[in-house]
Amino acid sequence: MKFHVNRDVFSEAVSFVVKLLPQRNPQPILAGVLVEATEAGLSLAAFDYEASARTTIEATVDEPGTILVHGRLLSEIASRLPNAPIQVEVDADGAILLSCGSARFTLASMPVQEYPAIPEVTGQSGLVPAEDFATAIAQVAFAASRDDVTPVLTGVQLEVAGTELSLVATDRYRVALRDIAWDGGGVADETATTSALVPARTLTEVGKTFAHSGEISIAFSGSGDREIIAFTAGNKTVTSLLIKGNFPPVRRLFPAQTDHHAVVNTGELTEAVRRVSLVLDRSAPLRFTFTSEGVSMDASGTEQARATESVDATLEGDDVTLGLNPQYLLEALGAVRSEFTRITFTSSENANKLSPVLITPQTSGGAESFKYLLQPNLLLR
C-alpha cells in the first residue's frame, strides 16, 4: 500500500472515526482504524461492535491496500503534523511508514484479518434537517440516565410517525421530549411508527459532528439482537447498535391541561438559580415560591449558609411552593432556547404525591416542539 493525501483532510477524517471509540477497550484490536486505499480514494473506518464510523476522502493512491493502525495514536500524530502532504506506505516488514515534510513515523500494523466487518445498512430511511436534529439531541440527550443498571434509560428513544420524528429521554426524575420534521421520501403513513433506542453518548456525538451538514439521512436496519441505526451526511456515516428493551411509556405523563402556570425570563431565572444554589448541599432541592409578585428562591446549606433571591414572574392561578433539583432545572432552562420560559404546575389525583412541573418555551402560537417534565420524586415506579 502507498498513498498521498492532504494533511488537513486526513487529520479531520481520522479524528472523526476515532471519536466514538471507547477510551479503554477490552479488545486491543478494536482500538484500530481500518484504512483502505483503492482507485476511488481512501476509506477510514472504526468499529467496536456497538458503534461504527466511516468516511471516504480523496487521495492519490499509488498502490491499493488495507492497513489497520492504532486509531488514537494516528489521530494525535495527524493533528500535529506540519502543513505538508502526507505519504503513507507499508515497508517490506509490514511496518507502516508515515512521512510529512521532514517528519517521519514508523507505526506498528495490526492484523487486518482479525478486525470485525463494518456494519452495512440497507433498511428504511428518511431525512431530517441537520441543524434541527443537532439542536433536538442537545435538548433531550442530557435527560437520559448515566446509570448502566437500567440500560433502557441510558438511551434516547427515536420515534417516527408520519412526517414527524420525536426524541425522548428520561432518567426517572425527568422527561425531555422534542419533535422535528421527518421526510420519509414518499406518502406519509400516519398509522405506521418506527422506533429506535439509541445510546445517548453516541447520539450526542452524531449531533456535534453533523450539526452543519445540511441534511442527515437516518436508516433503520438489522433484526433480532443486531438491530442498528445509521446516520449519514455527506461522506460520513455513523452506525449504532440499538439498546434492547422496552422504553417506558413516558408520553402519557405529559398533562393535557396547562392553565396553572408562571412565565419568567429564562436568563434571569438561570442566573438566580445558579447563585442561590451555591449554598446547597449536593442533590438537595431548592425551594421555589411562585406568587403574583414573582418567584422567590430560598436555600439553606451546611455551615449555616443561606441564600434568597427573587425574580419577576407572571403567575396564572394560585400561589405555589415546591422544591426542585436546581441542576435539573438549569439543564431544562438551557434547553428551552427561548427568552421566556413557561413553568406549568400540573395536578395529581393522588393528594400525597407531588405533581410534576412542565417546562416549555413561552412562544406565541403553535404547539410546543420541546417539553420537559420535572419533579423531585420518581416519575416512574
Side-chain angles (χ1 to χ4, degrees):
M1 171 196 255
K2 183 177 181 181
F3 64 83
H4 300 79
V5 64
N6 177 279
R7 178 255 191 197
D8 291 339
V9 172
F10 185 72
S11 176
E12 195 272 337
V14 177
S15 173
F16 161 70
V17 296
V18 302
K19 271 181 187 175
L20 291 172
L21 292 178
Q23 293 289 345
R24 292 186 179 86
N25 207 311
Q27 300 183 49
I29 194 75
L30 299 182
V33 165
L34 194 68
V35 182
E36 184 177 5
T38 66
E39 294 180 357
L42 208 60
S43 169
L44 295 91
F47 181 41
D48 68 354
Y49 288 113
E50 293 188 359
S52 79
R54 176 189 289 171
T55 185
T56 55
I57 57 175
E58 292 183 357
T60 302
V61 178
D62 300 324
E63 296 178 28
T66 303
I67 57 173
L68 185 65
V69 59
H70 193 281
R72 296 198 185 280
L73 177 59
L74 182 63
S75 179
E76 289 178 6
I77 290 171
S79 66
R80 289 172 172 80
L81 289 173
N83 189 16
I86 295 173
Q87 175 180 296
V88 176
E89 60 182 320
V90 178
D91 68 11
D93 298 324
I96 299 166
L97 308 179
L98 186 153
S99 59
C100 180
S102 60
R104 301 284 186 274
F105 290 88
T106 302
L107 304 175
S109 178
M110 303 167 77
V112 173
Q113 64 274 16
E114 294 181 17
Y115 200 69
I118 309 297
E120 296 289 344
V121 178
T122 57
Q124 171 201 353
S125 65
L127 298 173
V128 292
E131 192 169 339
D132 289 352
F133 189 56
T135 299
I137 293 170
Q139 289 178 300
V140 170
F142 67 85
S145 175
R146 294 170 179 81
D147 187 352
D148 291 334
V149 174
T150 312
V152 293
L153 298 186
T154 64
V156 176
Q157 177 87 338
L158 271 57
E159 300 173 355
V160 175
T163 58
E164 196 169 74
L165 170 66
S166 298
L167 294 85
V168 192
T170 184
D171 61 2
R172 286 198 178 96
Y173 298 91
R174 55 201 174 151
V175 182
L177 166 67
R178 172 71 200 273
D179 299 324
I180 63 171
W182 168 267
D183 179 5
V187 178
D189 184 351
E190 298 292 343
T191 61
T193 60
T194 303
S195 63
L197 188 53
V198 187
R201 173 182 173 269
T202 304
L203 198 61
T204 299
E205 285 296 339
V206 168
K208 292 176 181 176
T209 302
F210 292 157
H212 305 294
S213 302
E215 281 189 322
I216 300 173
S217 171
I218 302 177
F220 306 88
S221 184
S223 61
D225 292 334
R226 299 303 299 176
E227 284 186 293
I228 62 174
I229 188 170
F231 306 93
T232 303
N235 62 342
K236 295 183 175 73
T237 296
V238 170
T239 72
S240 176
L241 188 66
L242 301 186
I243 299 173
K244 302 300 293 181
N246 296 320
F247 194 73
V250 292
R251 283 179 175 274
R252 60 182 174 80
L253 299 172
F254 287 93
Q257 299 299 321
T258 56
D259 294 333
H260 187 193
H261 66 268
V263 177
V264 63
N265 182 283
T266 307
E268 290 178 3
L269 183 60
T270 298
E271 292 304 315
V273 171
R274 283 178 178 157
R275 281 189 291 268
V276 175
S277 60
L278 289 173
V279 304
L280 277 178
D281 296 332
R282 187 173 180 178
S283 76
L286 179 58
R287 181 186 177 92
F288 291 82
T289 302
F290 292 85
T291 69
S292 58
E293 297 178 357
V295 54
S296 59
M297 288 142 277
D298 191 332
S300 299
T302 55
E303 308 296 331
Q304 287 150 5
R306 185 172 180 183
T308 61
E309 188 167 347
S310 60
V311 297
D312 292 337
T314 303
L315 178 67
E316 294 286 339
D318 299 333
D319 293 357
V320 179
T321 298
L322 47 81
L324 296 173
N325 181 309
Q327 185 57 40
Y328 288 177
L329 178 61
L330 286 172
E331 288 175 334
L333 294 174
V336 162
R337 314 238 171 157
S338 173
E339 183 179 2
F340 292 94
T341 296
R342 175 183 288 226
I343 301 174
T344 301
F345 311 102
T346 66
S347 58
S348 171
E349 295 177 359
N350 186 346
N352 297 319
K353 182 180 179 181
L354 290 173
S355 300
V357 171
L358 176 65
I359 297 170
T360 55
Q362 172 68 7
T363 54
S364 56
E368 288 305 337
S369 63
F370 172 70
K371 299 177 182 177
Y372 180 94
L373 206 59
L374 170 64
Q375 64 180 39
N377 55 325
L378 295 183
L379 281 173
L380 305 172
R381 293 294 180 182

